[in-house]
Amino acid sequence: MNKVNNIYCVGRNYAAHAKELQNEVPTSPMLFSKPTHALAKAAGREVSLSGNRGSIHFETEIVIRIGKPYEQGIKLEDIIDSFTIGIDFTLRDVQNELKKKGHPWLLAKGFPNSAIVSKFIPFPGIEEMKKIDFILQKNGETVQQGNIKNMLFDLQTIIDFTALNFGLGEGDLIYTGTPEGVGPVNDMDHLTLFWGNSVLGECFIKLE
Ligand code: ZN
């Protein structure tokens, strides 16, 4: 994997997911970030996660990789060099507590191995991407299936918003939000990430 600089994540970017967690649909992109220490690859091996901090949910997301410095007006095809499917693991019980207190989400979102990526493939352009669904299977059953055409804020909006507010350059990743169907992982779960019919990555959960 090429060097990763910043990891940005978009929250509540699919209406059906915002609804399933009883959240309001945002009126502008809602961003948070993860430390680079959170990164892990779905490379067919075990991924260790904390087993004693409440439930851990999978959130399956398209992850784009930025290939060059942002300039105003830059086209998606020019700035996104590749994409993959990732999992934004979330300590859901911890997050609910943080939300109640009005605290930042970092404790619930930034733990080691919370940012899963699978194999990056070249960015084919937005219209091509809309033709293919991304899918998470848990132990052989489809638990999430999404398509970027259902995003509340499209990739161009997310990129412009991120660059304007935080800066955006080569090596940055953006997790673009999860569709509905999030749920808990258990010890020994086998997760497989599909782009259409192609497997981009898989891993086994080890709760410790
Ligand atoms: Zn997410």
Side-chain angles (χ1 to χ4, degrees):
M1 185 161 42
N2 293 317
K3 190 178 180 312
V4 171
N5 282 329
N6 298 289
I7 305 174
Y8 297 113
C9 306
V10 185
R12 303 175 193 168
N13 202 24
Y14 290 81
H17 167 64
K19 208 173 147 196
E20 74 181 344
L21 295 184
Q22 276 100 47
N23 288 315
E24 279 177 25
V25 171
T27 52
S28 69
M30 205 187 84
L31 267 86
F32 59 93
S33 68
K34 292 183 185 249
T36 49
H37 298 293
L39 266 181
K41 264 185 167 179
R45 291 188 292 274
E46 279 184 353
V47 167
S48 295
L49 298 170
S50 162
N52 55 14
R53 298 172 67 198
S55 74
I56 300 177
H57 275 197
F58 51 79
E59 296 188 358
T60 311
E61 315 198 358
I62 292 293
V63 182
I64 55 173
R65 184 183 182 277
I66 302 301
K68 61 170 67 159
Y70 176 87
E71 291 165 29
Q72 211 177 357
I74 195 166
K75 290 200 190 108
L76 289 177
E77 301 80 67
D78 293 330
I79 193 168
I80 302 174
D81 71 2
S82 53
F83 78 100
T84 191
I85 305 167
I87 302 176
D88 162 21
F89 278 126
T90 304
L91 281 160
R92 191 68 74 201
D93 297 328
V94 173
Q95 187 193 31
N96 287 338
E97 286 305 308
L98 295 169
K99 277 187 196 167
K100 272 187 222 159
K101 292 181 191 159
H103 287 183
W105 289 3
L106 187 57
L107 275 174
K109 292 283 199 179
F111 53 94
N113 299 338
S114 64
I116 299 293
V117 288
S118 39
K119 191 178 80 167
F120 280 84
I121 55 178
F123 179 64
I126 201 78
E127 292 309 317
E128 285 304 307
M129 280 190 75
K130 287 179 182 172
K131 294 176 184 167
I132 298 178
D133 286 353
F134 59 99
I135 293 161
L136 175 70
Q137 287 192 353
K138 186 171 92 166
N139 305 323
E141 261 182 61
T142 296
V143 287
Q144 285 195 282
Q145 180 160 0
N147 189 298
I148 62 160
K149 65 184 174 209
N150 296 320
M151 286 179 171
L152 292 170
F153 301 101
D154 63 14
L155 292 182
Q156 188 71 59
T157 306
I158 290 168
I159 282 175
D160 292 337
F161 183 91
T162 306
L164 179 71
N165 287 285
F166 313 111
L168 194 63
E170 185 179 354
D172 290 348
L173 301 184
I174 306 179
Y175 284 68
T176 57
T178 186
E180 72 277 18
V182 301
V185 287
N186 292 299
D187 197 34
M188 309 288 281
D189 275 347
H190 178 206
L191 302 180
T192 313
L193 297 147
F194 288 84
W195 177 240
N197 296 319
S198 316
V199 174
L200 295 190
E202 58 184 314
C203 61
F204 297 85
I205 300 302
K206 175 98 184 104
L207 292 187
E208 298 190 318

